[in-house]
Amino acid sequence: FDLPSVDFLEKIDVPLYKIASADIKSFPLLKHVALTGKPILISTGGSTMEDVEKAYSTITEYNSNISILQCTAAYPCEPEDMNLNVISTYRDKFPDKVIGMSDHQSGIGMALVAYTLGARIVEKHFTINRAWKGTDHSFSLEPQGLTKLVRDLKRAKVALGNGQKELMDKEIKPLFKMGKKLVAAHSLKKGTILS
């Protein structure tokens, strides 16, 4: 959240930086983090496309390794406020960048929707106990929820398939069983022509 913190984190060699939505207009901080040369994730809650473009330009002047996360800065965030289609907008606007989502929604379903829209980073808050006091605990995932989210994201990756519609070997036997067949009501001699 500030320049001295970046300097401290550099001393312990963190592998990447996350810029919170509240700092998307903190241009000295963006530049300072960009100059580390490390990957940067930037949340875009509470910002306009112009804000996102300015932050992007500030960072990429010094460091091209940036990922942009759709975010709504509400804690928790209701599904109707998530505007997940912005993920598609970001993919069109920044086609060579990894796009993701910073998810403050209570549950795992919207992260899966984001994945199907092309989000390849999902940030989710985590807690040991949702009943604890604090802003984030009530909508955070507990260990079981995080395990399910990771499981379902892995499933979504393979479930999307290759996009080619074709008959699968696994479908042949069930379709034979369920399919309709033309049968004669009585025995027919070989070569009988049906009319």
Side-chain angles (χ1 to χ4, degrees):
F1 296 110
D2 55 52
L3 304 185
S5 296
V6 176
D7 297 337
F8 169 76
L9 293 170
E10 278 301 287
K11 288 178 186 174
I12 62 172
D13 199 28
V14 296
L16 60 86
Y17 286 91
K18 159 73 186 322
I19 303 294
S21 294
D23 285 320
I24 197 167
K25 297 179 189 177
S26 299
F27 299 109
L29 177 63
L30 299 180
K31 178 180 176 181
H32 198 65
V33 171
L35 288 170
T36 68
K38 292 183 178 171
I40 300 168
L41 309 178
I42 185 163
S43 275
T44 60
S47 56
T48 64
M49 183 57 85
E50 183 181 356
D51 296 331
V52 174
E53 290 169 343
K54 285 181 182 178
Y56 178 85
S57 295
T58 299
I59 291 169
T60 56
E61 184 176 342
Y62 308 99
N63 182 344
S64 64
N65 198 349
I66 178 176
S67 294
I68 302 165
L69 310 182
Q70 164 56 2
C71 175
T72 299
Y75 309 90
C77 182
E78 297 302 323
E80 61 268 21
D81 298 322
M82 296 183 79
N83 200 4
L84 294 180
N85 279 322
V86 171
I87 292 166
S88 299
T89 301
Y90 285 165
R91 290 181 65 211
D92 291 341
K93 181 80 177 167
F94 309 103
D96 61 333
K97 300 302 175 192
V98 176
I99 304 303
M101 178 184 67
S102 179
D103 184 2
H104 303 138
Q105 188 259 339
S106 180
I108 64 174
M110 296 304 102
L112 297 168
V113 173
Y115 184 85
T116 63
L117 290 170
R120 292 301 177 259
I121 295 172
V122 174
E123 176 198 344
K124 195 72 176 163
H125 290 229
F126 176 78
T127 186
I128 301 300
N129 186 340
R130 293 180 71 187
W132 285 350
K133 291 182 181 179
T135 306
D136 294 355
H137 293 290
S138 67
F139 66 86
S140 298
L141 293 180
E142 290 177 324
Q144 183 179 16
L146 186 61
T147 299
K148 287 180 179 180
L149 174 60
V150 171
R151 176 203 66 198
D152 287 352
L153 285 170
K154 287 178 179 176
R155 286 177 175 174
K157 182 177 182 178
V158 297
L160 289 174
N162 63 13
Q164 301 298 314
K165 183 61 183 165
E166 48 197 10
L167 174 66
M168 298 175 66
D169 290 343
K170 292 179 179 182
E171 296 176 303
I172 294 171
K173 189 174 179 180
L175 287 175
F176 179 79
K177 178 182 175 185
M178 297 182 295
K180 307 300 181 276
K181 295 148 186 80
L182 181 62
V183 295
H186 53 82
S187 295
L188 299 173
K189 291 183 182 179
K190 186 176 180 178
T192 301
I193 297 174
L194 302 177
S195 61

